[in-house]
Amino acid sequence: SPCADTSNVQQQLHQLLALADTMQLQLLHFCLFLSISLAALLGHGFIISAVACSHHLHSPMFFFLLHLALSDLGSICTTVPKAMHNSLWDTRTISYAGCAVQFFFLVFCATNEFYLLTIICYERYVSIYKPLHYGTFLGSRACAHMAAAAWANTLLIYFY
């Protein structure tokens, strides 16, 4: 019955929350979140700065990789700070508005990553199967339009 499944899920959630009741585990969670998020922020920061600063990396592949790194940063910065705060200060609450904003930005970034990965697949397809048309299909203007379309289409999904 559905009620039995619901109570089973609630028991599992209580057991998972009970694992983090000790301060040592909460500090461990905080340190884990901090180290993973700093590594991700540092890695994405290096990608963004390398692509932005090096003129050798001004190709369509790296242009889309830059946008993918920005979208990844957005998804990391959406939920991890709140999780770190909850682990450090022993709180388990979030306001409804805060939850809605986190959910919106997380889904926004994930949807945008999906579009950007699709564009990167198209770019790789053109580079492998139509190398003579690469410059025609993926000029700087076309790349800018595709990246803008990915960001704009992600926004349009939520408003229509």
Side-chain angles (χ1 to χ4, degrees):
S1 78
C3 293
D5 292 338
T6 304
S7 65
N8 189 21
V9 170
Q10 287 175 348
Q11 288 174 356
Q12 288 175 354
L13 289 176
H14 288 297
Q15 289 172 356
L16 289 175
L17 291 175
L19 288 176
D21 280 343
T22 64
M23 192 59 175
Q24 291 85 7
L25 283 176
Q26 290 172 352
L27 287 175
L28 177 67
H29 287 159
F30 175 78
C31 292
L32 234 115
F33 283 135
L34 181 65
S35 61
I36 291 171
S37 64
L38 284 178
L41 291 173
L42 192 63
H44 291 313
F46 282 147
I47 290 171
I48 292 168
S49 61
V51 172
C53 295
S54 176
H55 70 283
H56 295 344
L57 300 178
H58 289 177
S59 67
M61 181 179 70
F62 291 109
F63 176 74
F64 295 128
L65 188 63
L66 179 129
H67 283 274
L68 188 64
L70 287 172
S71 188
D72 279 342
L73 278 178
S75 63
I76 291 168
C77 294
T78 298
T79 56
V80 173
K82 180 64 177 168
M84 289 171 51
H85 175 268
N86 288 348
S87 293
L88 189 61
W89 297 110
D90 193 25
T91 58
R92 300 197 197 318
T93 59
I94 186 169
S95 67
Y96 178 75
C99 182
V101 168
Q102 272 191 357
F103 180 75
F104 171 78
F105 281 113
L106 185 64
V107 172
F108 174 82
C109 292
T111 305
N112 190 39
E113 287 178 22
F114 170 74
Y115 287 129
L116 288 170
L117 287 171
T118 304
I119 292 170
I120 290 171
C121 288
Y122 172 72
E123 185 269 335
R124 293 287 83 200
Y125 168 79
V126 171
S127 71
I128 293 169
Y129 292 107
K130 301 193 185 269
L132 298 177
H133 298 288
Y134 188 81
T136 306
F137 289 160
L138 293 166
S140 60
R141 189 173 188 158
C143 289
H145 285 159
M146 284 190 276
W151 289 97
N153 197 26
T154 305
L155 274 176
L156 288 176
I157 285 174
Y158 293 105
F159 297 115
Y160 288 106

